[in-house]
Amino acid sequence: MKVLVAYMSKTGNTKKVAEAIFEEISDEKEIKTIDEVDSIEGYDIAFLGFPIHKMGPDKKTATLLEKHCLQGRKIVLFITHAAPEDNQDLLPMLDKFRQAARGADLIDMFDCQGQLDKTTKRIMSILPDAKLRLWAKQDNSQGQPDKARLDRARAFSRNVMLKIHSVN
Ligand SMILES: Cc1cc2nc3c(=O)[nH]c(=O)nc-3n(C[C@H](O)[C@H](O)[C@H](O)COP(=O)(O)O)c2cc1C
């Protein structure tokens, strides 16, 4: 079994989750940034990770997912976001990633909080949009993903690989 872990990460959070997932895989494996990936065709399974940007996948992410998620290829998605995991607004945001990856066979999906970078937070706190200002004020994502979340990513990775091996 050949496994790829590929990620996009602007401020390092999704990269941390990617590395935690990668460490738990005992098959032949590679870890790359998504920009280094030409095709996922040569892999039996690809874990693909992205941050939420502006309520979903940004344009580049949606285009990449549509490009790679073809012909029922086996993929796993992992997503980081500043909103707390129990925030109901996350469901439609995560669904947009599923939609963009609809050409693939989505085995499973993981998400966790990742800290909003300080510059973005500062900019949001002075924007004219009151909703964004409130969001910056209520932000509780600093320090994420913490050890507990990275442990959860590791457990997720082990479970996915067990599931894959049990059907192959
Ligand atoms: C431009 C921008 C837009 C963002 N939009 C959202 C959002 O809509 N919802 C959310 O929960 N987090 C949002 N975030 C926070 C990121 O998803 C979060 O910090 C993520 O962990 C960043 O991952 P990275 O460090 O791998 O780039 C946004 C961050 C940036 C920079």
Side-chain angles (χ1 to χ4, degrees):
M1 178 112 13
K2 197 170 168 192
V3 186
L4 172 70
V5 178
Y7 62 90
M8 175 191 288
S9 187
K10 297 256 194 296
T11 59
N13 302 325
T14 316
K15 183 178 185 208
K16 283 184 190 162
V17 176
E19 288 168 348
I21 286 172
F22 183 74
E23 277 167 22
E24 297 303 310
I25 298 168
S26 42
D27 298 80
E28 186 185 345
K29 60 183 179 178
E30 288 173 23
I31 184 164
K32 295 182 174 186
T33 66
I34 195 79
D35 290 330
E36 294 170 325
V37 177
D38 289 329
S39 167
I40 63 169
E41 213 174 341
Y43 302 92
D44 297 296
I45 180 159
F47 288 73
L48 305 176
F50 303 91
I52 287 184
H53 275 174
K54 296 185 188 152
M55 314 293 183
D58 65 13
K59 219 170 162 199
K60 181 180 173 187
T61 300
T63 306
L64 281 168
L65 283 170
E66 278 157 19
K67 174 185 161 196
H68 290 304
C69 297
L70 302 170
Q71 298 156 341
R73 288 175 194 155
K74 282 189 175 37
I75 66 147
V76 176
L77 290 176
F78 58 100
I79 310 295
T80 70
H81 45 77
E85 287 91 353
D86 62 358
N87 184 326
Q88 290 305 301
D89 294 340
L90 274 175
L91 298 174
M93 298 187 213
L94 294 172
D95 216 42
K96 288 183 194 163
F97 286 87
R98 282 192 200 91
Q99 271 302 311
R102 65 191 172 281
D105 176 8
L106 178 61
I107 306 291
D108 213 335
M109 188 161 174
F110 175 86
D111 73 279
C112 74
Q113 204 174 20
Q115 68 179 13
L116 185 62
D117 82 285
K118 291 201 171 75
T119 310
T120 309
K121 188 169 167 163
R122 218 174 301 126
I123 293 168
M124 277 171 70
S125 68
I126 53 166
L127 284 176
D129 186 333
K131 211 175 149 195
L132 289 177
R133 280 204 312 273
L134 182 67
W135 196 33
K137 200 173 160 195
Q138 291 178 338
D139 173 57
N140 70 348
S141 66
Q142 298 312 298
Q144 304 301 349
D146 61 3
K147 184 180 178 302
R149 282 170 176 80
L150 293 175
D151 283 347
R152 199 156 63 73
R154 287 191 187 90
F156 170 80
S157 174
R158 290 194 298 274
N159 284 338
V160 167
M161 292 314 296
L162 270 177
K163 197 156 68 178
I164 296 284
H165 280 292
S166 71
V167 293
N168 281 295

